Amino acid sequence: MHMHKFEKIWLIFGVTALIVFLSTIGVSAFYLGNKPPSCLTTINPNKVDQTAPFNKPGLHKVEGKDWDYDLVYVAQTFAYNPTVVKIPLGARVRIVATTKDVVHGFEVAGTNINMMLEPGYVSEFTKTFNKAGEYLIVCNEYCGAGHHLMSSKIEVIK
Ligand SMILES: [Cu+2]
């Protein structure tokens, strides 16, 4: 079969690009251990208040982990619990969050923290807070009439 030279080059380019992209995803997922920030841990959405750690929302010091604090959030229309959290500067924090009713967003403005909270699932994100200041947490998934009122605040203090 005769194939035009440019067609061959284009095919080789396409197949090579595919191999490069799939290898990148493979290395990232299986060697570096990257994973999506949600959908791995499940929870009964009707028993969030009775299920650890969501029976005690807020900041908790932890020992013997790769992070210093667990920061537990429970979202429901139209609020986050807790509403304000003070974090010491430089602390490594694992944020653990879920929702009691509908899908909510969990975006910490000005950072790379952006999770979707789905009923029945636990979302996690670990982050070191190296810059002092106030961080606004906003819901970026439309959840109903009070969606625009849904927010919380992290204060990183020295
Ligand atoms: Cu919302």
Side-chain angles (χ1 to χ4, degrees):
M1 185 180 79
H2 175 76
M3 206 186 274
H4 195 276
K5 189 175 112 201
F6 291 149
E7 193 133 6
K8 259 190 208 156
I9 293 172
W10 185 240
L11 266 179
I12 290 167
F13 173 79
V15 170
T16 310
L18 186 67
I19 290 167
V20 168
F21 294 152
L22 288 177
S23 309
T24 307
I25 293 173
V27 168
S28 170
F30 299 108
Y31 180 69
L32 299 174
N34 289 326
K35 56 190 180 189
S38 62
C39 297
L40 297 163
T41 314
T42 54
I43 184 171
N44 182 341
N46 300 317
K47 291 195 178 146
V48 169
D49 288 334
Q50 294 98 285
T51 310
F54 300 102
N55 52 352
K56 286 185 196 136
L59 192 67
H60 308 289
K61 183 95 181 119
V62 293
E63 302 290 340
K65 298 270 169 77
D66 290 340
W67 54 93
D68 308 311
Y69 293 92
D70 269 340
L71 178 50
V72 179
Y73 279 97
V74 175
Q76 66 185 105
T77 49
F78 299 100
Y80 297 99
N81 182 12
T83 50
V84 183
V85 171
K86 288 181 166 59
I87 297 174
L89 184 67
R92 186 151 178 81
V93 178
R94 182 180 71 147
I95 297 172
V96 190
T98 193
T99 165
K100 283 159 78 169
D101 38 43
V102 298
V103 171
H104 293 287
F106 188 98
E107 179 181 352
V108 185
T111 71
N112 61 341
I113 304 170
N114 189 358
M115 302 189 283
M116 187 191 256
L117 311 182
E118 293 164 88
Y121 293 95
V122 175
S123 302
E124 277 185 31
F125 198 100
T126 305
K127 169 98 181 159
T128 307
F129 287 89
N130 281 327
K131 225 178 111 195
E134 282 191 8
Y135 295 84
L136 185 67
I137 300 167
V138 290
C139 177
N140 56 11
E141 299 283 343
Y142 183 73
C143 53
H147 167 66
H148 61 290
L149 303 170
M150 194 166 166
S151 71
S152 180
K153 206 164 67 176
I154 291 175
E155 291 174 14
V156 178
I157 48 174
K158 277 178 208 160

